Amino acid sequence: MTSPSNWSFRTRYLLGFLASFGVIGFAVYLQEARGLMPCSFCILQRVAFAVLGVVFLIGGLHSPRSIGARKVYGALAGIAALVGVGIAGRHVWVQVFPPEVSTCGGGLEFLAAVNGWSGAIRKVLTASGDCSDVEYFLGISIPVWALALFVLLGAWALWTAFGKERVR
């Protein structure tokens, strides 16, 4: 078996796509099969994984020969991953330092209807309540898993796009 450093840009980015949407699929499984309802942070993390996955998919399908174009895909994926890191990091913070009063509120659609989209995003990023409930998978909280996966997928995208070795 060849090492990942010998894989093509297309292979690496399509694997990034599969990983990103695999995470979303697992989140939907936890919601539907295990009854674990997502909070506002969870929804935003899914959106960030979806954006990252779409960048991976487009980059993998395009598979540009130009190093400049590859760097554009790497930068876009890096930005999406950084946004995800910010959201997951804030979620971890809320879980480590839970608020005294639960105020996480309703779903994203409800928040947008009541507060408008900018108000909903502001509300979500300052959320608490259900967002502070800690659910574990393999002994680690789910937001910590999300944080680690955003870091790993972002590093994967940047390594592929900006790495020193020539990617086929």
Side-chain angles (χ1 to χ4, degrees):
M1 178 168 214
T2 63
S3 76
S5 62
N6 293 329
W7 296 348
S8 69
F9 181 89
R10 171 171 285 153
T11 300
R12 292 183 194 180
Y13 262 54
L14 291 178
L15 285 172
F17 161 74
L18 290 174
S20 297
F21 279 90
V23 169
I24 295 170
F26 185 69
V28 171
Y29 162 77
L30 289 176
Q31 179 179 340
E32 297 300 323
R34 308 273 310 273
L36 183 60
M37 296 310 294
C39 68
S40 299
F41 282 130
C42 298
I43 298 297
L44 286 177
Q45 288 169 59
R46 289 181 193 183
V47 170
F49 276 118
V51 170
L52 181 57
V54 167
V55 171
F56 274 129
L57 177 63
I58 293 170
L61 293 176
H62 180 208
S63 189
R65 293 188 184 272
S66 160
I67 291 176
R70 290 178 179 197
K71 289 182 178 184
V72 168
Y73 284 118
L76 291 173
I79 291 168
L82 278 176
V83 168
V85 163
I87 296 165
R90 178 69 177 149
H91 196 175
V92 170
W93 175 268
V94 168
Q95 287 188 339
V96 171
F97 302 104
E100 292 181 25
V101 178
S102 296
T103 59
C104 195
L108 193 57
E109 296 85 14
F110 173 76
L111 292 174
V114 171
N115 303 307
W117 280 106
S118 64
I121 291 172
R122 189 172 25 261
K123 177 90 171 147
V124 165
L125 292 177
T126 59
S128 57
D130 294 337
C131 299
S132 64
D133 289 344
V134 181
E135 296 288 341
Y136 294 96
F137 176 71
L138 299 177
I140 298 173
S141 77
I142 293 173
V144 171
W145 279 110
L147 180 61
L149 289 169
F150 278 121
V151 169
L152 289 172
L153 288 170
W156 179 260
L158 294 174
W159 173 64
T160 298
F162 293 93
K164 290 187 181 196
E165 72 270 347
R166 180 109 167 105
V167 179
R168 297 179 275 122

